Amino acid sequence: MQVSSVPTSELYYVKCVCYCSELLMTDRTNADAIYVKGLTLYYQDMSDRATKIFRQVLRLNPDHKPSQIVIRKSKQLASKKEEGNSAFKLGQYQQACELYTEALTIDPYNKLTNSKLHCNRALVESKLGMLEEAITDCNQAIKLDEQYLKAYQRRAKCYQESGQHEEAVRDLERVCQMDRSRENREALHEGKRLLKIAKRKDYYKILGINKSATEDEIKKAYKKKALQFHPDRHSAGTDEEKSEAEVNFKEVGEAYSVLSDSRKRSRYDSGQDLEEMGGMGNFDPNEIFQTFFSGGGPFSFSTGGSPFSFGFQF
């Protein structure tokens, strides 16, 4: 492993271990040097190995208070974390959240362990629908350990669930920089797809229908919206009102032209680009309108003039 790729904190621990090893070469019973070796393991989230070393210190010096204190904290952390994990597995999310919160108060200086606790609490909070709190915990986990891959993955998922897709893609790109596994690359690809979908027009929202709407429901919604926004109905309005009506009328027609076509609707629902649907750039909302109402009814059409020439008969 190249030195440049090793985190600064890890280099610090390596130096501490080397220094202690040099001391122990001249005095194998140096309890303080052994204690510091154990402490470096404890702060690298290797509590089991650390505890063995602290017990070695206590065999040499039963009254070594620092070792006694760290052993006690290590036990408390392990116990409280396990309680939280068990509650989570049982689906007791609120209890798990409280247990992880208690664990975080045990040793504020144990950054790596606390980073995992924040990440665990973020998962619980996401299950409880507390996405903002979950993202905050992920932020804290990453602040404590910038190399914590799972925290970036969890934050990306929380961002997606809260509709923050650009932020999610940034995290997923960082994940791929850290680990270019097939799973991570697929997650990034999916994240970019969701971002693309989020940025495009929501045709269902434009027509005021849900995604399971039937063909008849789509037609009824289009008829209502098209008549509501037809420019002729707003011909007496201000320039701003007329412009807004034309924009809305065009969007309604565009939405109908896609959702009324089963092939286009399927491709739209799967997240494909509009350009792939066959030239939406040449779309004419007035033609859609006239075609829709060509079967007769209390409407009459005129030629020439505005591209939306349409006369209402009351």
Side-chain angles (χ1 to χ4, degrees):
M1 179 165 51
Q2 295 180 350
V3 173
S4 60
S5 66
V6 181
T8 303
S9 58
E10 190 172 329
L11 283 173
Y12 175 77
Y13 291 133
V14 169
K15 289 180 180 179
C16 285
V17 171
C18 290
Y19 180 68
C20 291
S21 296
E22 290 177 4
L23 291 176
L24 291 170
M25 288 179 66
T26 57
D27 181 6
R28 303 185 107 189
T29 62
N30 189 322
D32 288 333
I34 298 173
Y35 165 75
V36 172
K37 284 187 67 175
L39 206 59
T40 61
L41 293 173
Y42 170 72
Y43 283 128
Q44 291 181 85
D45 197 33
M46 303 178 188
S47 56
D48 289 341
R49 290 176 59 188
T51 298
K52 290 180 180 178
I53 292 180
F54 294 138
R55 294 195 184 285
Q56 180 183 348
V57 173
L58 292 175
R59 284 194 293 271
L60 293 171
N61 181 1
D63 296 323
H64 197 272
K65 294 293 183 182
S67 291
Q68 294 174 354
I69 292 172
V70 179
I71 286 178
R72 183 167 62 252
K73 286 184 177 181
S74 181
K75 284 183 177 179
Q76 290 174 339
L77 276 170
S79 175
K80 196 63 67 175
K81 182 180 179 183
E82 183 55 37
E83 287 180 45
N85 293 346
S86 297
F88 174 78
K89 291 175 183 177
L90 293 172
Q92 299 170 351
Y93 300 134
Q94 187 58 50
Q95 184 180 355
C97 188
E98 293 170 0
L99 288 166
Y100 290 137
T101 300
E102 291 177 25
L104 282 165
T105 66
I106 294 172
D107 187 356
Y109 297 104
N110 196 326
K111 293 184 176 182
L112 294 185
T113 298
N114 289 342
S115 177
K116 292 181 179 179
L117 289 170
H118 276 291
C119 197
N120 286 2
R121 190 169 67 175
L123 175 59
V124 172
E125 289 165 336
S126 69
K127 294 289 185 181
L128 292 170
M130 303 164 59
L131 294 176
E132 186 175 340
E133 291 83 354
I135 291 171
T136 298
D137 262 323
C138 288
N139 292 342
Q140 189 62 28
I142 292 169
K143 181 179 179 181
L144 294 173
D145 181 6
E146 294 181 354
Q147 304 301 314
Y148 194 8
L149 181 70
K150 186 179 290 186
Y152 288 101
Q153 292 172 321
R154 188 150 295 158
R155 187 170 69 177
K157 187 172 183 180
C158 289
Y159 277 142
Q160 287 177 337
E161 291 178 359
S162 61
Q164 300 179 68
H165 295 286
E166 290 186 1
E167 291 83 351
V169 168
R170 281 200 295 269
D171 272 350
L172 292 170
E173 287 175 339
R174 178 64 187 275
V175 167
C176 283
Q177 289 173 0
M178 299 168 72
D179 177 9
R180 287 193 60 79
S181 68
R182 178 179 177 180
E183 182 180 0
N184 290 336
R185 284 184 280 113
E186 288 177 349
L188 176 58
H189 179 76
E190 175 64 10
K192 289 181 176 180
R193 187 184 75 84
L194 292 175
L195 173 59
K196 187 179 295 184
I197 291 175
K199 284 185 172 182
R200 70 183 183 176
K201 295 176 183 177
D202 187 339
Y203 290 147
Y204 292 100
K205 184 176 181 180
I206 289 172
L207 291 182
I209 56 178
N210 58 47
K211 293 186 177 181
S212 60
T214 64
E215 183 178 346
D216 284 342
E217 288 172 333
I218 292 172
K219 288 180 178 180
K220 288 178 182 179
Y222 170 70
K223 179 179 179 181
K224 177 182 177 181
K225 295 286 185 179
L227 291 175
Q228 177 184 349
F229 295 120
H230 194 285
D232 280 3
R233 175 163 291 205
H234 301 270
S235 59
T238 64
D239 289 343
E240 183 179 350
E241 289 171 341
K242 287 189 285 187
S243 176
E244 182 179 354
E246 289 190 12
V247 169
N248 289 333
F249 181 69
K250 182 175 181 179
E251 286 190 340
V252 166
E254 185 177 324
Y256 177 72
S257 71
V258 172
L259 299 184
S260 62
D261 184 311
S262 60
R263 179 170 171 269
K264 289 181 179 180
R265 181 181 181 182
S266 176
R267 296 174 69 177
Y268 172 79
D269 288 343
S270 68
Q272 296 188 40
D273 290 332
L274 295 179
E275 289 77 8
E276 297 175 357
M277 296 182 183
M280 292 299 293
N282 297 322
F283 163 77
D284 183 351
N286 197 51
E287 183 179 341
I288 294 289
F289 183 86
Q290 293 190 12
T291 301
F292 184 87
F293 288 99
S294 61
F299 308 100
S300 63
F301 301 91
S302 60
T303 59
S306 165
F308 301 111
S309 295
F310 176 74
F312 286 95
Q313 294 181 350
F314 299 100

